[in-house]
PDB file of all heavy atoms in Angstrom:
ATOM      1  N   LYS A  62      -0.966   0.689  -1.423  1.00 94.00           N
ATOM      2  CA  LYS A  62      -0.849   1.908  -2.089  1.00 94.00           C
ATOM      3  C   LYS A  62       0.408   1.960  -2.947  1.00 94.00           C
ATOM      4  O   LYS A  62       1.407   1.282  -2.567  1.00 94.00           O
ATOM      5  CB  LYS A  62      -0.906   3.125  -1.099  1.00 94.00           C
ATOM      6  CG  LYS A  62       0.217   3.120  -0.137  1.00 94.00           C
ATOM      7  CD  LYS A  62       0.115   4.310   0.880  1.00 94.00           C
ATOM      8  CE  LYS A  62       1.218   4.340   1.898  1.00 94.00           C
ATOM      9  NZ  LYS A  62       1.061   5.444   2.842  1.00 94.00           N
ATOM     10  N   LEU A  63       0.404   2.766  -4.028  1.00 94.00           N
ATOM     11  CA  LEU A  63       1.545   2.909  -4.834  1.00 94.00           C
ATOM     12  C   LEU A  63       2.511   3.966  -4.250  1.00 94.00           C
ATOM     13  O   LEU A  63       2.100   5.047  -3.933  1.00 94.00           O
ATOM     14  CB  LEU A  63       1.093   3.400  -6.221  1.00 94.00           C
ATOM     15  CG  LEU A  63       2.124   3.659  -7.260  1.00 94.00           C
ATOM     16  CD1 LEU A  63       2.858   2.272  -7.618  1.00 94.00           C
ATOM     17  CD2 LEU A  63       1.506   4.202  -8.488  1.00 94.00           C
ATOM     18  N   LYS A  64       3.754   3.489  -3.958  1.00 92.00           N
ATOM     19  CA  LYS A  64       4.723   4.374  -3.344  1.00 92.00           C
ATOM     20  C   LYS A  64       5.512   5.090  -4.388  1.00 92.00           C
ATOM     21  O   LYS A  64       5.921   6.265  -4.240  1.00 92.00           O
ATOM     22  CB  LYS A  64       5.652   3.560  -2.478  1.00 92.00           C
ATOM     23  CG  LYS A  64       4.983   2.912  -1.344  1.00 92.00           C
ATOM     24  CD  LYS A  64       4.608   3.946  -0.141  1.00 92.00           C
ATOM     25  CE  LYS A  64       5.898   4.297   0.506  1.00 92.00           C
ATOM     26  NZ  LYS A  64       5.677   5.253   1.658  1.00 92.00           N
ATOM     27  N   ALA A  65       5.908   4.365  -5.424  1.00 91.00           N
ATOM     28  CA  ALA A  65       6.679   4.954  -6.566  1.00 91.00           C
ATOM     29  C   ALA A  65       6.485   4.028  -7.721  1.00 91.00           C
ATOM     30  O   ALA A  65       5.740   3.117  -7.680  1.00 91.00           O
ATOM     31  CB  ALA A  65       8.214   4.977  -6.174  1.00 91.00           C
ATOM     32  N   ASP A  66       7.083   4.366  -8.810  1.00 90.00           N
ATOM     33  CA  ASP A  66       6.834   3.604 -10.044  1.00 90.00           C
ATOM     34  C   ASP A  66       7.193   2.163  -9.844  1.00 90.00           C
ATOM     35  O   ASP A  66       8.409   1.788  -9.647  1.00 90.00           O
ATOM     36  CB  ASP A  66       7.716   4.188 -11.204  1.00 90.00           C
ATOM     37  CG  ASP A  66       7.393   3.546 -12.506  1.00 90.00           C
ATOM     38  OD1 ASP A  66       6.264   2.965 -12.663  1.00 90.00           O
ATOM     39  OD2 ASP A  66       8.261   3.547 -13.418  1.00 90.00           O
ATOM     40  N   GLY A  67       6.143   1.196  -9.870  1.00 92.00           N
ATOM     41  CA  GLY A  67       6.357  -0.151  -9.723  1.00 92.00           C
ATOM     42  C   GLY A  67       6.584  -0.628  -8.234  1.00 92.00           C
ATOM     43  O   GLY A  67       6.846  -1.773  -8.057  1.00 92.00           O
ATOM     44  N   ILE A  68       6.519   0.230  -7.297  1.00 94.00           N
ATOM     45  CA  ILE A  68       6.818  -0.109  -5.936  1.00 94.00           C
ATOM     46  C   ILE A  68       5.555   0.143  -5.086  1.00 94.00           C
ATOM     47  O   ILE A  68       5.019   1.249  -5.109  1.00 94.00           O
ATOM     48  CB  ILE A  68       8.008   0.713  -5.282  1.00 94.00           C
ATOM     49  CG1 ILE A  68       9.231   0.398  -6.150  1.00 94.00           C
ATOM     50  CG2 ILE A  68       8.216   0.380  -3.860  1.00 94.00           C
ATOM     51  CD1 ILE A  68      10.470   1.262  -5.730  1.00 94.00           C
ATOM     52  N   TYR A  69       5.119  -0.825  -4.310  1.00 96.00           N
ATOM     53  CA  TYR A  69       3.804  -0.805  -3.641  1.00 96.00           C
ATOM     54  C   TYR A  69       4.090  -1.200  -2.103  1.00 96.00           C
ATOM     55  O   TYR A  69       4.972  -1.899  -1.765  1.00 96.00           O
ATOM     56  CB  TYR A  69       2.851  -1.775  -4.184  1.00 96.00           C
ATOM     57  CG  TYR A  69       2.535  -1.516  -5.660  1.00 96.00           C
ATOM     58  CD1 TYR A  69       3.316  -1.967  -6.625  1.00 96.00           C
ATOM     59  CD2 TYR A  69       1.303  -0.813  -5.892  1.00 96.00           C
ATOM     60  CE1 TYR A  69       2.923  -1.730  -7.954  1.00 96.00           C
ATOM     61  CE2 TYR A  69       0.957  -0.642  -7.240  1.00 96.00           C
ATOM     62  CZ  TYR A  69       1.775  -1.028  -8.278  1.00 96.00           C
ATOM     63  OH  TYR A  69       1.471  -0.761  -9.617  1.00 96.00           O
ATOM     64  N   GLU A  70       3.277  -0.486  -1.241  1.00 95.00           N
ATOM     65  CA  GLU A  70       3.290  -0.815   0.187  1.00 95.00           C
ATOM     66  C   GLU A  70       1.998  -1.521   0.519  1.00 95.00           C
ATOM     67  O   GLU A  70       0.925  -1.023   0.243  1.00 95.00           O
ATOM     68  CB  GLU A  70       3.488   0.480   0.998  1.00 95.00           C
ATOM     69  CG  GLU A  70       3.519   0.177   2.506  1.00 95.00           C
ATOM     70  CD  GLU A  70       3.671   1.394   3.314  1.00 95.00           C
ATOM     71  OE1 GLU A  70       3.195   2.451   2.943  1.00 95.00           O
ATOM     72  OE2 GLU A  70       4.253   1.315   4.404  1.00 95.00           O
ATOM     73  N   PHE A  71       2.073  -2.676   1.141  1.00 95.00           N
ATOM     74  CA  PHE A  71       0.923  -3.499   1.622  1.00 95.00           C
ATOM     75  C   PHE A  71       0.935  -3.456   3.113  1.00 95.00           C
ATOM     76  O   PHE A  71       1.927  -3.739   3.796  1.00 95.00           O
ATOM     77  CB  PHE A  71       1.015  -4.950   1.115  1.00 95.00           C
ATOM     78  CG  PHE A  71       0.911  -5.093  -0.404  1.00 95.00           C
ATOM     79  CD1 PHE A  71       2.050  -4.864  -1.233  1.00 95.00           C
ATOM     80  CD2 PHE A  71      -0.264  -5.428  -0.904  1.00 95.00           C
ATOM     81  CE1 PHE A  71       1.899  -5.080  -2.655  1.00 95.00           C
ATOM     82  CE2 PHE A  71      -0.444  -5.536  -2.282  1.00 95.00           C
ATOM     83  CZ  PHE A  71       0.671  -5.383  -3.162  1.00 95.00           C
ATOM     84  N   THR A  72      -0.259  -3.101   3.609  1.00 95.00           N
ATOM     85  CA  THR A  72      -0.401  -3.001   5.098  1.00 95.00           C
ATOM     86  C   THR A  72      -1.493  -3.909   5.577  1.00 95.00           C
ATOM     87  O   THR A  72      -2.707  -3.822   5.094  1.00 95.00           O
ATOM     88  CB  THR A  72      -0.827  -1.557   5.480  1.00 95.00           C
ATOM     89  OG1 THR A  72       0.288  -0.679   5.062  1.00 95.00           O
ATOM     90  CG2 THR A  72      -0.891  -1.439   7.028  1.00 95.00           C
ATOM     91  N   TYR A  73      -1.258  -4.771   6.528  1.00 92.00           N
ATOM     92  CA  TYR A  73      -2.243  -5.698   6.999  1.00 92.00           C
ATOM     93  C   TYR A  73      -3.170  -4.992   7.995  1.00 92.00           C
ATOM     94  O   TYR A  73      -2.823  -4.112   8.737  1.00 92.00           O
ATOM     95  CB  TYR A  73      -1.550  -6.829   7.836  1.00 92.00           C
ATOM     96  CG  TYR A  73      -0.936  -7.939   6.920  1.00 92.00           C
ATOM     97  CD1 TYR A  73       0.427  -8.140   6.838  1.00 92.00           C
ATOM     98  CD2 TYR A  73      -1.746  -8.733   6.157  1.00 92.00           C
ATOM     99  CE1 TYR A  73       0.988  -9.083   6.056  1.00 92.00           C
ATOM    100  CE2 TYR A  73      -1.236  -9.700   5.318  1.00 92.00           C
ATOM    101  CZ  TYR A  73       0.188  -9.855   5.303  1.00 92.00           C
ATOM    102  OH  TYR A  73       0.739 -10.815   4.578  1.00 92.00           O
ATOM    103  N   HIS A  74      -4.417  -5.434   7.980  1.00 91.00           N
ATOM    104  CA  HIS A  74      -5.404  -4.917   8.878  1.00 91.00           C
ATOM    105  C   HIS A  74      -5.351  -5.763  10.146  1.00 91.00           C
ATOM    106  O   HIS A  74      -5.299  -7.044  10.048  1.00 91.00           O
ATOM    107  CB  HIS A  74      -6.796  -5.030   8.319  1.00 91.00           C
ATOM    108  CG  HIS A  74      -7.939  -4.788   9.279  1.00 91.00           C
ATOM    109  ND1 HIS A  74      -8.243  -3.515   9.710  1.00 91.00           N
ATOM    110  CD2 HIS A  74      -8.775  -5.620   9.892  1.00 91.00           C
ATOM    111  CE1 HIS A  74      -9.212  -3.645  10.609  1.00 91.00           C
ATOM    112  NE2 HIS A  74      -9.586  -4.972  10.665  1.00 91.00           N
ATOM    113  N   ALA A  75      -5.303  -5.191  11.316  1.00 87.00           N
ATOM    114  CA  ALA A  75      -5.167  -5.923  12.634  1.00 87.00           C
ATOM    115  C   ALA A  75      -6.527  -5.941  13.228  1.00 87.00           C
ATOM    116  O   ALA A  75      -7.169  -4.959  13.541  1.00 87.00           O
ATOM    117  CB  ALA A  75      -4.198  -5.170  13.505  1.00 87.00           C
ATOM    118  N   GLU A  76      -6.976  -7.159  13.453  1.00 85.00           N
ATOM    119  CA  GLU A  76      -8.233  -7.415  14.164  1.00 85.00           C
ATOM    120  C   GLU A  76      -8.023  -7.366  15.717  1.00 85.00           C
ATOM    121  O   GLU A  76      -6.863  -7.538  16.163  1.00 85.00           O
ATOM    122  CB  GLU A  76      -8.827  -8.836  13.854  1.00 85.00           C
ATOM    123  CG  GLU A  76      -9.080  -9.062  12.344  1.00 85.00           C
ATOM    124  CD  GLU A  76     -10.490  -8.476  11.920  1.00 85.00           C
ATOM    125  OE1 GLU A  76     -11.186  -8.031  12.858  1.00 85.00           O
ATOM    126  OE2 GLU A  76     -10.724  -8.484  10.712  1.00 85.00           O
ATOM    127  N   ALA A  77      -9.092  -7.157  16.469  1.00 85.00           N
ATOM    128  CA  ALA A  77      -8.985  -7.214  17.892  1.00 85.00           C
ATOM    129  C   ALA A  77      -8.628  -8.599  18.272  1.00 85.00           C
ATOM    130  O   ALA A  77      -9.140  -9.577  17.816  1.00 85.00           O
ATOM    131  CB  ALA A  77     -10.296  -6.739  18.551  1.00 85.00           C
ATOM    132  N   LYS A  78      -7.682  -8.722  19.363  1.00 86.00           N
ATOM    133  CA  LYS A  78      -7.232 -10.000  19.707  1.00 86.00           C
ATOM    134  C   LYS A  78      -8.384 -10.724  20.531  1.00 86.00           C
ATOM    135  O   LYS A  78      -8.608 -11.914  20.451  1.00 86.00           O
ATOM    136  CB  LYS A  78      -5.989  -9.922  20.507  1.00 86.00           C
ATOM    137  CG  LYS A  78      -5.400 -11.293  20.896  1.00 86.00           C
ATOM    138  CD  LYS A  78      -3.998 -11.126  21.475  1.00 86.00           C
ATOM    139  CE  LYS A  78      -3.423 -12.540  21.758  1.00 86.00           C
ATOM    140  NZ  LYS A  78      -3.433 -13.483  20.522  1.00 86.00           N
ATOM    141  N   PHE A  79      -9.035  -9.979  21.388  1.00 90.00           N
ATOM    142  CA  PHE A  79     -10.135 -10.502  22.206  1.00 90.00           C
ATOM    143  C   PHE A  79     -11.315  -9.581  22.091  1.00 90.00           C
ATOM    144  O   PHE A  79     -11.170  -8.418  22.200  1.00 90.00           O
ATOM    145  CB  PHE A  79      -9.706 -10.625  23.685  1.00 90.00           C
ATOM    146  CG  PHE A  79      -8.552 -11.655  23.958  1.00 90.00           C
ATOM    147  CD1 PHE A  79      -7.318 -11.237  24.109  1.00 90.00           C
ATOM    148  CD2 PHE A  79      -8.834 -13.030  23.925  1.00 90.00           C
ATOM    149  CE1 PHE A  79      -6.293 -12.199  24.317  1.00 90.00           C
ATOM    150  CE2 PHE A  79      -7.812 -13.945  24.130  1.00 90.00           C
ATOM    151  CZ  PHE A  79      -6.524 -13.512  24.313  1.00 90.00           C
ATOM    152  N   VAL A  80     -12.513 -10.177  22.109  1.00 94.00           N
ATOM    153  CA  VAL A  80     -13.674  -9.410  21.996  1.00 94.00           C
ATOM    154  C   VAL A  80     -14.731 -10.021  23.024  1.00 94.00           C
ATOM    155  O   VAL A  80     -14.876 -11.266  23.063  1.00 94.00           O
ATOM    156  CB  VAL A  80     -14.308  -9.342  20.625  1.00 94.00           C
ATOM    157  CG1 VAL A  80     -15.672  -8.756  20.693  1.00 94.00           C
ATOM    158  CG2 VAL A  80     -13.445  -8.461  19.728  1.00 94.00           C
ATOM    159  N   LEU A  81     -15.386  -9.208  23.797  1.00 96.00           N
ATOM    160  CA  LEU A  81     -16.361  -9.670  24.697  1.00 96.00           C
ATOM    161  C   LEU A  81     -17.728  -9.198  24.229  1.00 96.00           C
ATOM    162  O   LEU A  81     -17.875  -7.985  23.885  1.00 96.00           O
ATOM    163  CB  LEU A  81     -16.241  -9.181  26.076  1.00 96.00           C
ATOM    164  CG  LEU A  81     -17.229  -9.690  27.083  1.00 96.00           C
ATOM    165  CD1 LEU A  81     -17.110 -11.203  27.353  1.00 96.00           C
ATOM    166  CD2 LEU A  81     -17.062  -9.006  28.487  1.00 96.00           C
TER     167      LEU A  81
END
Side-chain angles (χ1 to χ4, degrees):
K62 62 182 179 181
L63 180 65
K64 298 283 289 184
D66 187 23
I68 299 176
Y69 298 82
E70 181 180 32
F71 292 82
T72 302
Y73 283 113
H74 171 73
E76 300 277 354
K78 187 169 182 57
F79 295 100
V80 170
L81 181 66

